[in-house]
Amino acid sequence: MLQRPRRNRKNAAIRGLAEEIHLLPKHLVQPLFLVDGKNKKNAIKSLPDIFQLSIDNALKEIEACMNVGVNSFILFPAVEDALKNKTATYSYSQKNFYLKAIKEFKKKFPECCLISDVAMDPYSSDGHDGYVENGKIHNDKTLPILAKMSVAQAEAGIDIIGPSDMMDGRVGYIRETLDGKGFSETSIMSYTAKYASAFYGPFRDALESAPKSGDKKTYQMNPANKREALVEAELDYAEGADFLMVKPATVYLDIIHELRQNFPIPIAAYHVSGEYAMLQAAAKNGWIDYAKCLEETLLSIHRAGADVVISYGSKDYANNIKKGKV
Ligand code: PBG
C-alpha cells in the first residue's frame, strides 16, 4: 500500500495541518429578534435559548457576540398586531422601533455589520411577504413598498439590505431606488434561492408572522428544483446583488455548491430556525452533543461552498471555540 490516508490523521497536530476548511467567527452571522420596549427578553417556545430582545438587551447580546468574534447580525422585528396593515406602512414609519434599533446599534458598535430583513410579513396583516390583492400576491405593487422599507433602513445606517421576499425584480428595483437616494454604498444580500420550507416554523412563531391564508409557494421556490436556483441567481447577480443567499442550508447543500461553482460573489447560507431547533431538541433530550453536532453542521454548510453562514448557533459555536470545546 503506497497510499495510507490514515497517516494524515495520526495525531491532532497532523490533522490540523491536513485540515481543508476553517470556519471562523468572522464568517458567521447571528440573527436577532427585536421587540419594542425596555428590558424585554421573551422566550420563544420553539427556539430554545433564543429570545425576543428589546434594544437595551439586544445591545448586550451584540457585545457578547462581538467578544467572541461574531461581528455580523441579521435583524428581525416582532411587531404587535395593532401596527400591522395591508401595505406594511409601519415598516418605513419613522416611529418603527426597528429603525431606532439600527441607529442605536451602529452608534454603540460602529464596527459591527448589520443586515436587515426586507419583506412585508412582519408588518403585514395578511402575513405574506408581498402585497395581497384578491387572494393573490401582487408582485409589482410589492416592489415600491420593499423599496421604501429599504430606503428607511439605509437612512437608519444599515450595512446590508436583505430582501427575503422572493418577488421578481426586487433586487434591481431596490438597487436603483437606493442609488437614486444617494445610498450607493449600502449593500444587498439577496435571498436568492429561498425555498418554500417547513423549516421556517419556529421563526414564524417568534414573529407571529405566519400567513393568514394560503402558503408561500407562489413566490418561494419548490424544494424539488435546482436549475431554477441558477435562474434566480443570474437575475440577482445581474441586478446588482453583492451576496447571494441559499435558505435553508443543510437540506440544500447541493444548491449552495451549485451557486458557489457558478458565481464569483460571496455565497451566504441561512441555517434556519427549524434546522437549529432540531439540534436543540435532540440535545436537550440528551440524545446528541449540541456543541459537536453544531460544529459539524456549520462546517458542512461552509464546506459545501457558503462563505457566510447565518445560524442561531453562531454565538454558541464561537464560544465553544474559545472554550476549546470544538
Ligand atoms: C420572512 C422570513 C422568513 C425567514 C427569514 N425571513 C420566514 C418566511 O419566509 O416565512 C425564516 C428564517 C428562519 O426560519 O430562521 N420574509
Side-chain angles (χ1 to χ4, degrees):
M1 261 192 268
L2 292 178
Q3 284 289 353
R4 284 184 179 270
R6 286 188 55 203
R7 279 197 289 262
N8 283 353
R9 300 177 205 139
K10 78 182 149 208
N11 64 41
I14 293 179
R15 289 194 291 277
L17 294 177
E19 195 159 285
E20 295 178 30
I21 57 159
H22 309 96
L23 181 62
L24 304 175
K26 67 178 171 188
H27 301 127
L28 301 174
V29 179
Q30 179 71 41
L32 297 176
F33 293 116
L34 305 174
V35 276
D36 204 2
K38 282 207 175 74
N39 199 23
K40 292 213 171 126
K41 188 176 176 185
N42 308 329
I44 302 158
K45 209 177 81 201
S46 50
L47 270 183
D49 300 344
I50 301 292
F51 301 87
Q52 296 178 339
L53 301 172
S54 50
I55 295 179
D56 46 355
N57 282 332
L59 282 166
K60 290 183 200 153
E61 183 65 10
I62 290 174
E63 188 167 18
C65 289
M66 291 181 75
N67 281 339
V68 288
V70 175
N71 302 317
S72 299
F73 303 89
I74 189 160
L75 311 176
F76 299 99
V79 177
E80 39 176 301
D81 271 343
L83 295 169
K84 299 184 184 182
N85 61 21
K86 266 202 92 62
T87 49
T89 49
Y90 184 67
S91 65
Y92 49 85
S93 153
Q94 286 312 310
K95 292 189 193 133
N96 186 353
F97 69 90
Y98 184 80
L99 302 173
K100 280 186 218 146
I102 294 170
K103 284 184 206 143
E104 292 206 25
F105 297 168
K106 283 305 282 188
K107 198 165 118 199
K108 181 130 189 242
F109 300 105
E111 66 284 20
C112 75
C113 168
L114 300 181
I115 307 168
S116 72
D117 183 55
V118 169
M120 288 174 63
D121 56 334
Y123 307 101
S124 152
S125 42
D126 293 305
H128 274 288
D129 295 22
Y131 178 72
V132 180
E133 192 174 76
N134 304 324
K136 289 196 169 158
I137 312 300
H138 197 301
N139 193 88
D140 297 9
K141 285 189 182 167
T142 304
L143 300 181
I145 299 171
L146 301 175
K148 276 190 202 159
M149 207 182 293
S150 303
V151 168
Q153 294 169 355
E155 279 167 351
I158 202 85
D159 297 285
I160 303 179
I161 299 282
S164 68
D165 54 282
M166 289 301 279
M167 295 300 118
D168 293 334
R170 90 280 206 208
V171 173
Y173 197 100
I174 292 171
R175 182 72 275 156
E176 277 177 30
T177 310
L178 287 173
D179 288 356
K181 301 265 184 191
F183 294 110
S184 57
E185 288 195 9
T186 307
S187 315
I188 297 179
M189 177 184 285
S190 172
Y191 287 62
T192 294
K194 176 173 179 182
Y195 287 86
S197 172
F199 287 98
Y200 307 149
F203 175 96
R204 293 177 191 168
D205 290 343
L207 298 192
E208 289 176 28
S209 63
K212 296 285 183 294
S213 68
D215 54 38
K216 298 193 175 185
K217 288 182 183 166
T218 68
Y219 45 108
Q220 298 180 348
M221 281 178 57
N222 179 347
N225 292 358
K226 177 154 146 177
R227 294 192 309 271
E228 194 183 347
L230 290 172
V231 175
E232 287 285 358
E234 269 167 37
L235 288 168
D236 288 0
Y237 183 52
E239 289 173 32
D242 301 286
F243 294 81
L244 302 176
M245 189 204 292
V246 176
K247 178 182 175 187
T250 52
V251 275
Y252 296 90
L253 293 177
D254 55 331
I255 311 299
I256 297 173
H257 177 77
E258 195 72 18
L259 294 201
R260 172 68 300 153
Q261 297 298 306
N262 286 287
F263 292 89
I265 57 175
I267 305 297
Y270 198 145
H271 177 235
V272 300
S273 55
E275 298 177 278
Y276 166 84
M278 290 195 303
L279 282 178
Q280 281 281 18
K284 297 231 182 278
N285 271 302
W287 297 339
I288 61 169
D289 179 319
Y290 173 65
K292 295 201 171 106
C293 289
L294 176 67
E295 181 201 26
E296 201 172 323
T297 302
L298 300 187
L299 273 181
S300 77
I301 299 167
H302 190 43
R303 194 184 60 236
D307 306 280
V308 178
V309 179
I310 304 165
S311 172
Y312 299 91
S314 291
K315 183 179 82 171
D316 292 340
Y317 173 71
N319 258 319
N320 291 339
I321 294 179
K322 204 171 175 187
K323 289 189 204 142
K325 274 203 201 168
V326 296

